[in-house]
DNA sequence: CTTGTGCCCTGACCGC
DNA sequence: TGCGGTCAGGGCACAA
């Protein structure tokens, strides 16, 4: 499931393949994956346009065009956006293929939760989820002071808060659990009960865990691959996610699974409080 | 305002 | 072998 490190990895791997490339044609195999506009307009406005440098905001991939429009992609659970050199035969879950002047861009999504938008760059704010995003956790907006201040006003459990994209952008279920484990904080801990040191530990864990995930090219549990079709390596470094019943690598406690905010939540009840 | 629930969607997995 | 049920979860609509 692509979270910030995965989407950033996709962005970086697609950048040299897309920047400056012109769209020769677009084939939409499943119009339902396009949030806006209608498939016909989507194709018409893409044809002949050239991609600029890709960007990322939270889990959204932003692909600006030289026409003033931008292709926006959210991969949700199982979406994949890959560049391939040769002609591509659409597979079962292939929904869109862009033919470029060099290669092909392919959008696939097994569960079809992902969405594509084509909007004017000046109207990106009309994409609701994108407009409401909190600060980038690896950017300068997320300082320890800012986080401590925001935590103080929140009664919600830390796990809920980390998953809230309007609080901080880009954290999903896997990294949320890894962050809380590194910080030594219980997922159900109320945000406003953290002392100064704990808030600082959470801040450091957010940045550290996401940076490591990114350095490892993301986490591949099942579906995720980057823009070149390469799997990530961070799954080999997960401390608690998906490890219920195993020993906590830090203290030897037993990793436990509970349900928080409707999500499977893995933590160590011994060293996370 | 916050918090919870169901929905979308398919494949993997489990028990019988 | 097959079949039904359950689970996985990001974001959103909707309800309490």
């Amino acid at each position: 499931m692509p979270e910030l490190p995965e989407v950033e990895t996709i962005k970086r791997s697609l950048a040299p393949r897309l920047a400056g490339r012109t769209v020769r044609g677009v084939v939409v195999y499943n119009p339902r994956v396009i949030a806006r506009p209608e498939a016909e307009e989507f194709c018409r406005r893409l044809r002949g346009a050239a991609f600029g440098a890709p960007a990322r905001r939270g889990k959204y991939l932003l692909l600006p065009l030289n026409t003033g429009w931008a292709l926006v992609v959210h991969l949700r659970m199982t979406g994949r956006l890959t560049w391939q050199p040769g002609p591509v035969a659409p597979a079962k879950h292939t929904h869109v293929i862009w033919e470029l002047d060099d290669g092909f861009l392919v959008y696939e999504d097994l569960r079809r939760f992902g969405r594509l938008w084509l909007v004017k760059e000046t109207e990106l704010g009309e994409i609701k989820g994108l407009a409401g995003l909190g600060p980038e956790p690896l950017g300068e907006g997320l300082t320890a002071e800012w986080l401590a201040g925001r935590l103080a006003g929140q009664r919600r459990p830390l796990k809920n808060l980390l998953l809230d994209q309007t609080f901080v952008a880009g954290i999903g279920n896997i990294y949320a659990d890894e962050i809380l484990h590194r910080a030594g904080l219980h997922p159900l801990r109320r945000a406003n009960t953290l002392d100064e040191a704990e808030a600082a530990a959470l801040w450091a864990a957010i940045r550290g865990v996401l940076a490591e995930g990114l350095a490892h090219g993301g986490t591949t549990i099942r579906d995720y691959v980057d823009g070149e079709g390469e799997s990530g390596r961070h799954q080999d470094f997960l401390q608690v996610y998906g490890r219920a019943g195993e020993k906590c690598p830090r203290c030897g406690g037993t990793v436990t699974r509970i349900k928080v905010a409707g999500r499977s939540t893995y933590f160590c009840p011994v060293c996370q409080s």
Side-chain angles (χ1 to χ4, degrees):
Chain A
M1 52 214 83
E3 307 180 25
L4 186 153
E6 289 75 34
V7 181
E8 179 66 22
T9 303
I10 292 168
K11 184 201 87 178
R12 293 179 184 182
S13 56
L14 284 179
R17 299 299 192 181
L18 290 189
R21 297 275 70 80
T22 298
V23 177
R24 280 191 179 149
V26 188
V27 182
V28 175
Y29 298 94
N30 184 348
R32 291 189 57 180
V33 303
I34 303 172
R36 65 179 267 193
E38 293 294 320
E40 182 275 326
E41 184 183 350
F42 181 87
C43 297
R44 174 162 48 82
R45 291 199 184 280
L46 278 161
R47 221 173 294 126
F51 285 106
R56 178 196 56 77
R57 181 77 175 91
K59 302 175 195 171
Y60 289 82
L61 191 58
L62 311 175
L63 304 176
L65 299 152
N66 65 350
T67 52
W69 291 66
L71 177 62
V72 179
V73 182
H74 196 306
L75 301 167
R76 295 279 178 93
M77 303 297 300
T78 53
R80 290 176 164 187
L81 192 64
T82 54
W83 179 88
Q84 299 181 37
V88 180
K92 189 175 177 184
H93 302 296
T94 305
H95 304 312
V96 183
I97 298 180
W98 294 259
E99 182 186 352
L100 311 175
D101 54 3
D102 178 19
F104 295 79
L105 183 66
V106 181
Y107 178 69
E108 307 162 279
D109 188 358
L110 184 151
R111 284 157 86 175
R112 280 186 269 152
F113 283 4
R115 286 293 176 269
L116 309 174
W117 296 259
L118 186 67
V119 296
K120 289 182 186 167
E121 263 195 278
T122 53
E123 293 171 357
L124 283 169
E126 291 176 15
I127 300 174
K128 208 175 289 181
L130 180 59
L133 289 175
E136 283 294 322
L138 295 180
E140 294 183 2
L142 186 80
T143 63
E145 293 71 27
W146 181 89
L147 182 66
R150 285 295 306 273
L151 289 171
Q154 293 280 346
R155 278 190 297 265
R156 302 147 76 189
L158 291 174
K159 176 70 184 272
N160 301 49
L161 208 57
L162 290 180
L163 291 178
D164 181 351
Q165 302 301 298
T166 70
F167 183 76
V168 172
I171 301 172
N173 201 43
I174 295 173
Y175 290 104
D177 285 1
E178 295 297 311
I179 287 165
L180 290 171
H181 178 261
R182 175 165 308 183
L185 294 165
H186 195 291
L188 289 173
R189 182 77 177 278
R190 304 273 166 183
N192 60 1
T193 67
L194 268 60
D195 65 26
E196 204 174 316
E198 288 171 327
L202 182 58
W203 176 79
I206 288 171
R207 295 172 70 97
V209 167
L210 293 176
E212 282 174 30
L214 179 56
H216 291 134
T219 303
T220 299
I221 303 286
R222 181 165 296 156
D223 299 285
Y224 162 72
V225 293
D226 72 11
E228 299 274 7
E230 295 291 322
S231 293
R233 301 176 306 280
H234 192 64
Q235 61 277 8
D236 299 334
F237 299 86
L238 296 177
Q239 306 289 293
V240 287
Y241 182 84
R243 301 195 180 282
E246 298 179 29
K247 278 198 187 317
C248 167
R250 180 166 57 203
C251 76
T254 302
V255 176
T256 302
R257 187 176 94 156
I258 60 174
K259 207 85 162 175
V260 182
R263 303 280 179 262
S264 280
T265 297
Y266 301 86
F267 72 107
C268 171
V270 178
C271 64
Q272 290 181 250
S273 55

